[in-house]
Amino acid sequence: MRNSRWFLTSFAALAVLAAAGTAWMKAGATQPAASSTAAASGVRGVLFAQPFVLDQSYSHTWRAEQPSVRAGWLLVLDVDPEVVVPQQGYEPVLFVGDQTAERINHGDGSGHLVVIVPSELDHERGEPALDLLAGPIWFGTPSLPEQVDAKRLAEERIAARRAGIKPFAAAKVIEAKQRGGGFIALKDRTELERYAATLVTTWAPDEYDLAQGLLQPLLK
Amino acid sequence: MHRDSPSAVTALLRAATPLALMAPLAAQALSTSTQLSGGAGSVTPEPRLGVLDLELAGETLAGYPHFHYTRTFEIGKRVWMAIDPTRYPAFVGDTADIYVVAHQSVAQWIANGALIDARGAPTTFTFQPGTIQANTVTLDNGTLNADAGDSLGVPYDVVIDFDQDGLLGAGDAIDGFYGEPGFFVVEDPGQPGPHNVIETQYSGGSFLGQDTYYPANLLTLGQLPLVVISHGNGHDYRWYDHIGYHLASWGCIVMSHQNNTQPGPEAASVTTLTNTDYLLSNQHLIDNGALVGHIDATRIIWIGHSRGGEGVARAFNKVKTGAYVPVNYKAKDIALVSSIAPTEFLTVAQLTPFDVNYHMFVGASDSDVNGGPTTPIVQSTPIYERSVGDKTFHSIQGAGHADFHNQAGNCWCTGPSLIGKTGTHPVVLSNYLALIKHYTEGNVAARDYFERAYDDFHSASIPSNVIVAAEHKDAVGSGNFVIDDFQTNTGTATSSSGTAVTATVTNLVEALMQDLDSSFSWSAAVPMNGMCRAISGDVQRGAIFDFTTSSTYSVAVLPAQKDFSNDVALGFRACQGTRHPNTDSWNQPASFGVQLEDALGHLSTPIDFGWYGKLTRPYLRTGTGTGSGWANEFGTVRIPMESFTRHNPTFDLTQVVKIHFLFGSVGATLGRIGMDDIEIIAKGN
């Protein structure tokens, strides 16, 4: 695995704050422990936030429970490019409030990461129940998202709070939501993914080719 | 080719009998079961034609046993034939015409024995007394036709026409009469095949983006194997053009798909499964139905890279266990699973490939899935070890993680003598073609690419500076007899087959092949240093020891298994122990000697297997402790059984009581050696 600067920083924090968290790197460990490796520096801001709703649900494979998704947020995050360099080993899991986020692009060039965050709908407020003003956005312990369950998520949330990670300033979130605009209603996961690909071309133009890979002509 | 070796009976027949009388006498020999054993098995003249079916074609070796009877020759390489005059003394003094002819079946030979030399004219040769070297004849300098279309190998037979009548008849010798042809000449499998290729990209929806390659003349080709490629994390399904174009040009349909790797290998395994089904279900939608009727869903190959490499192993496991039920295919339809530098996040049970034909590439320079001992996640090899099907392994020194795909950028590599994509891809392409041709078409010629030592035989497309450690093991239950795989009778004095083991090598240990201290630094407290072959929960065991003087490791043979005369080879795998002082001191590829002992106490002449190919020196990569040297690299050794009787016809292969491995006196003068899977390779393997 690559020993990136981010990892070194993370381990330094780990040594101070939660020595037990090193267990995930040891031979034989199968599941990394939640810890305060949740790096406050990983996510620098929210640039774009748009709610979506689907006619047909899909399964969120980035959670152990694989919840059914009918709505949520499309976000563009400003991230530390070092944190999102793709690799084969454990990668830091991106959390948004009480949910794991699905990454659409890599973001290691532009520092802009397009993500899908599932959420129930809050019909009273007329937007996803996941409140971006109340929920922090952070990179948690390197892990496999498909192995993160509700218990683990709660542990990560506690670790993040202890690490001083807070929701972004309301003004920034509101600005991102204004930039995103209102709900976009889409048929299904395929349309959602293709729409997210267009966001990649806008926000991470260096990943144009990746976006094109998501936008191949659909067979009919 | 592999078959019975000749016995003295036929030589005596030849010596004492006019050629015209050979056939009836041979039939008599058969009917009376006359067997004069020279220890090398027996061969009887074919009762109808009276010909002798012998091994003839092969290659020269620089040292004893001086000749290697082989099956396959790549175009441009020299082809020889040889006779050991100590085993066939009746040939000595005879002048014969030696033919290279197009292979024919027995029925064809009986119908028409006319000899038409593929080179234009036969070679006339007078057999000499003395050595096999004196009776080695160049048959061809690499000019024989190798064009088999999109198959591999043009088959030939070699005929010694003793009566020089231009006909195959009584008393003549032939390599290729029964079973396999005498030899094959193959096109270089690292070069593109005969078909132009069409590439088409499309999507069936979320995680159903596919990049598909097929022969442009597909309409004329019938049903073809399907190769599915599952990329790694951060990779892209359009980064495998090199594999797609190559295999399609040789008659495969190749589909590389969008792979859901970021959640983890479990998710990736699902996209391997669903994309395979999607393609099979929706052929009519792709390129106006060009694929319809041309995909053979009973011959599917899964190739995965990195997390995708773990994913394909997991996918097969799920199909095999019923955890996933595909719509269009079954477990038996998966002809081969290949993992390129796979991660290993999941459990031992989840990543057991069972009996599928399994293959693995790893790059010794990989800086991502690095194969080191620090965490199981980056140790690919335990997945390979768990396979009980036919299995093949290639470790490529100088290859980085990203060298296996074709996207420019960071190679994710570290260490000396990096080879990049230009060095890595020919290894990948040529070996994939050989494996796929063998496991989807039963192509025999292709076997040599993974059965023989890499140094002995590999694609000419591979640059000469590329170092590859290669393993191959036949499936459990394939008929080979395991003398010692170290899995049972775990003391060092008893083999797994229950026989006595005696050794004068030092520091002999049998144990789980797991490096237990997360470091490649040499430590006497961690004898299995560098053995990243098992993780917690695994059972793969082996032996390791060292030597600085002449030493032996000897294992007795069960009385019931003493007859080696009808077996193909003695096989085992061995490696050098990384960062051990002896390995560092030797500092080069290594080999050692192998010797058999028969019931009368006769010893075969020691064979230095290094003449076939040596054990790689562990890749001189630093890190993960002090010193230089990466994970231990096993190499499979197969010594043809007949070679133990070379120039030694009194040695009795029917009465073998011991196998001696000789260290210090043959090959490397000192070393640290790991050993495993000592077995007798049965005919047909």
Side-chain angles (χ1 to χ4, degrees):
Chain A
M1 280 187 294
R2 176 175 149 142
N3 291 320
S4 70
R5 181 156 45 86
W6 186 86
F7 266 84
L8 294 174
T9 306
S10 298
F11 279 116
L14 186 64
V16 174
L17 298 170
T22 56
W24 72 272
M25 278 295 290
K26 298 297 186 187
T30 56
Q31 177 81 5
S35 75
S36 55
T37 55
S41 61
V43 183
R44 300 188 290 220
V46 187
L47 302 172
F48 176 99
Q50 183 176 23
F52 69 85
V53 63
L54 305 177
D55 290 342
Q56 297 171 18
S57 63
Y58 71 92
S59 295
H60 182 48
T61 56
W62 293 59
R63 275 284 296 273
E65 300 90 344
Q66 298 200 7
S68 180
V69 181
R70 287 290 295 271
W73 290 102
L74 275 161
L75 305 179
V76 180
L77 304 175
D78 181 15
V79 300
D80 180 351
E82 288 284 327
V83 180
V84 290
V85 172
Q87 56 191 312
Q88 309 307 321
Y90 286 131
E91 297 176 314
V93 177
L94 178 62
F95 294 95
V96 178
D98 288 329
Q99 187 55 281
T100 56
E102 174 184 356
R103 307 189 206 182
I104 299 299
N105 64 321
H106 305 314
D108 53 329
S110 63
H112 294 164
L113 193 61
V114 178
V115 302
I116 297 170
V117 188
S119 171
E120 297 294 320
L121 277 180
D122 182 335
H123 293 285
E124 285 188 12
R125 288 197 299 128
E127 65 174 33
L130 198 162
D131 186 356
L132 299 177
L133 292 169
I137 304 174
W138 78 104
F139 284 108
T141 309
S143 184
L144 292 178
E146 68 185 13
Q147 295 178 348
V148 173
D149 57 13
K151 176 174 177 289
R152 177 63 185 280
L153 201 151
E155 292 167 355
E156 290 284 349
R157 187 85 190 254
I158 292 168
R161 188 170 64 243
R162 287 176 178 163
I165 295 170
K166 297 175 180 174
F168 288 105
K172 295 292 184 185
V173 173
I174 291 168
E175 188 179 334
K177 290 166 75 172
Q178 287 173 342
R179 195 173 285 128
F183 265 100
I184 182 166
L186 300 165
K187 178 185 170 192
D188 57 13
R189 160 77 199 196
T190 297
E191 284 194 0
L192 176 65
E193 192 174 293
R194 295 171 81 84
Y195 179 71
T198 66
L199 294 178
V200 172
T201 61
T202 301
W203 289 93
D206 61 312
E207 295 184 84
Y208 176 84
D209 193 56
L210 178 148
Q212 291 309 300
L214 300 171
L215 292 167
Q216 290 296 323
L218 284 169
L219 292 178
K220 293 177 181 173
Chain B
M1 65 169 288
H2 305 296
R3 66 174 70 77
D4 293 345
S5 300
S7 72
V9 64
T10 51
L12 289 171
L13 283 168
R14 283 208 69 256
T17 311
L19 289 174
L21 300 178
M22 274 296 284
L25 278 176
Q28 180 185 348
L30 279 175
S31 64
T32 57
S33 300
T34 301
Q35 295 288 315
L36 296 180
S37 173
S42 62
V43 64
T44 51
E46 200 284 328
R48 289 158 292 182
L49 283 180
V51 299
L52 305 174
D53 190 30
L54 310 180
E55 284 197 86
L56 296 171
E59 61 181 8
T60 58
L61 298 175
Y64 183 87
H66 302 294
F67 199 81
H68 183 198
Y69 293 105
T70 54
R71 175 193 290 126
T72 304
F73 300 81
E74 202 167 280
I75 189 167
K77 302 295 184 185
R78 185 174 292 187
V79 182
W80 289 268
M81 67 134 278
I83 286 288
D84 179 354
T86 67
R87 284 173 56 192
Y88 304 100
F91 291 2
V92 173
D94 277 1
T95 297
D97 290 335
I98 302 170
Y99 285 81
V100 175
V101 299
H103 172 65
Q104 297 195 121
S105 67
V106 171
Q108 288 171 315
W109 278 121
I110 290 172
N112 182 4
L115 299 171
I116 302 170
D117 199 291
R119 304 164 300 171
T123 303
T124 300
F125 183 77
T126 301
F127 290 94
Q128 307 295 314
T131 64
I132 197 168
Q133 302 96 302
N135 291 280
T136 299
V137 181
T138 297
L139 296 179
D140 182 66
N141 286 316
T143 63
L144 286 169
N145 176 38
D147 184 1
D150 65 12
S151 185
L152 269 183
V154 173
Y156 296 93
D157 295 338
V158 180
V159 175
I160 305 176
D161 182 19
F162 280 102
D163 56 7
Q164 298 181 290
D165 64 352
L167 295 169
L168 179 67
D172 293 337
I174 178 170
D175 184 357
F177 195 69
Y178 291 117
E180 292 180 17
F183 68 97
F184 295 90
V185 180
V186 297
E187 299 276 12
D188 179 353
Q191 292 297 307
H195 305 304
N196 291 323
V197 174
I198 292 174
E199 178 185 7
T200 183
Q201 296 179 359
Y202 53 86
S203 174
S206 176
F207 284 106
L208 290 171
Q210 299 187 347
D211 192 353
T212 295
Y213 314 76
Y214 58 91
N217 57 337
L218 185 58
L219 269 176
T220 67
L221 297 178
Q223 288 201 310
L224 304 180
L226 171 65
V227 180
V228 175
I229 303 174
S230 305
H231 67 75
N233 196 39
H235 302 169
D236 190 288
Y237 66 101
R238 295 160 301 157
W239 291 1
Y240 296 87
D241 277 356
H242 55 310
I243 298 175
Y245 274 93
H246 187 72
L247 296 179
S249 79
W250 282 99
C252 296
I253 294 170
V254 183
M255 179 271 287
S256 179
H257 66 86
Q258 204 180 355
N259 203 15
N260 193 16
T261 59
Q262 282 201 285
E266 193 68 52
S269 73
V270 172
T271 33
T272 296
L273 293 159
T274 54
N275 273 270
T276 304
D277 250 339
Y278 180 84
L279 177 62
L280 295 172
S281 294
N282 293 280
Q283 299 170 54
H284 59 290
L285 300 178
I286 301 164
D287 279 8
N288 298 313
L291 305 180
V292 173
H294 295 289
I295 299 178
D296 185 348
T298 66
R299 293 185 292 161
I300 296 172
I301 298 96
W302 281 338
I303 295 173
H305 186 187
S306 205
R307 285 194 186 183
E310 180 173 359
V312 293
R314 175 63 181 141
F316 182 81
N317 180 290
K318 289 161 82 168
V319 176
K320 186 75 176 179
T321 58
Y324 183 95
V325 181
V327 175
N328 296 293
Y329 57 95
K330 297 179 172 61
K332 67 177 177 54
D333 299 325
I334 307 301
L336 175 70
V337 174
S338 175
S339 300
I340 303 172
T343 51
E344 194 182 2
F345 288 102
L346 301 177
T347 64
V348 169
Q350 290 170 316
L351 289 178
T352 295
F354 297 109
D355 58 350
V356 73
N357 300 313
Y358 187 70
H359 169 264
M360 184 178 289
F361 281 122
V362 300
S365 305
D366 194 323
S367 59
D368 197 346
V369 184
N370 64 38
T374 52
T375 166
I377 296 165
V378 297
Q379 288 181 32
S380 305
T381 43
I383 305 173
Y384 170 81
E385 295 292 336
R386 288 173 211 138
S387 168
V388 296
D390 263 22
K391 55 183 178 180
T392 305
F393 181 86
H394 293 98
S395 175
I396 310 171
Q397 295 194 0
H401 195 76
D403 289 331
F404 290 98
H405 61 60
N406 66 357
Q407 179 72 3
N410 187 346
C411 66
W412 290 90
C413 60
T414 186
S417 305
L418 299 173
I419 62 172
K421 297 180 195 303
T422 55
T424 306
H425 286 190
V427 181
V428 170
L429 300 184
S430 59
N431 282 291
Y432 270 152
L433 186 67
L435 287 162
I436 289 169
K437 286 294 178 188
H438 181 69
Y439 289 116
T440 65
E441 298 176 8
N443 186 293
V444 175
R447 274 189 74 96
D448 278 35
Y449 283 97
F450 49 88
E451 191 176 87
R452 285 160 64 183
Y454 173 83
D455 284 349
D456 178 30
F457 190 64
H458 58 262
S459 161
S461 293
I462 301 172
S464 59
N465 64 319
V466 174
I467 297 170
V468 177
E471 295 178 50
H472 174 76
K473 189 171 189 294
D474 299 318
V476 172
S478 62
N480 295 342
F481 180 73
V482 177
I483 291 177
D484 201 351
D485 63 7
F486 306 96
Q487 295 302 116
T488 54
N489 300 325
T490 55
T492 57
T494 311
S495 72
S496 62
S497 61
T499 59
V501 174
T502 53
T504 61
V505 293
T506 47
N507 300 310
L508 171 61
V509 170
E510 288 187 26
L512 188 71
M513 292 195 288
Q514 181 180 17
D515 188 328
L516 290 167
D517 69 351
S518 300
S519 167
F520 280 137
S521 299
W522 165 246
S523 165
V526 185
M528 284 293 174
N529 186 53
M531 293 288 197
C532 300
R533 297 279 171 163
I535 62 174
S536 181
D538 273 325
V539 297
Q540 299 90 265
R541 297 171 56 86
I544 195 157
F545 48 81
D546 45 59
F547 60 96
T548 53
T549 60
S550 180
S551 315
T552 59
Y553 181 98
S554 302
V555 55
V557 176
L558 281 175
Q561 300 294 330
K562 66 183 179 182
D563 186 355
F564 289 9
S565 63
N566 285 320
D567 296 311
V568 172
L570 171 65
F572 57 91
R573 64 174 178 167
C575 66
Q576 298 197 62
T578 196
R579 301 193 189 185
H580 186 275
N582 289 2
T583 301
D584 288 346
S585 179
W586 181 246
N587 196 28
Q588 58 184 301
S591 62
F592 49 86
V594 184
Q595 185 176 44
L596 303 182
E597 180 178 336
D598 69 20
L600 294 176
H602 296 141
L603 294 172
S604 68
T605 304
I607 292 176
D608 180 346
F609 68 77
W611 298 120
Y612 303 96
K614 295 184 177 181
L615 308 176
T616 54
R617 195 244 188 272
Y619 181 55
L620 284 169
R621 177 175 170 180
T622 57
T624 313
T626 57
S628 297
W630 210 243
N632 298 343
E633 296 176 337
F634 275 104
T636 296
V637 176
R638 284 190 172 195
I639 302 176
M641 208 57 87
E642 59 80 24
S643 62
F644 288 103
T645 64
R646 183 81 74 250
H647 301 165
N648 188 8
T650 60
F651 183 81
D652 191 352
L653 270 181
T654 68
Q655 300 283 336
V656 178
V657 296
K658 270 186 186 175
I659 301 167
H660 301 288
F661 298 96
L662 312 174
F663 302 92
S665 58
V666 179
T669 55
L670 77 171
R672 172 81 171 170
I673 296 293
M675 282 196 69
D676 195 16
D677 293 332
I678 303 167
E679 58 184 11
I680 303 302
I681 310 298
K683 193 179 293 185
N685 289 333

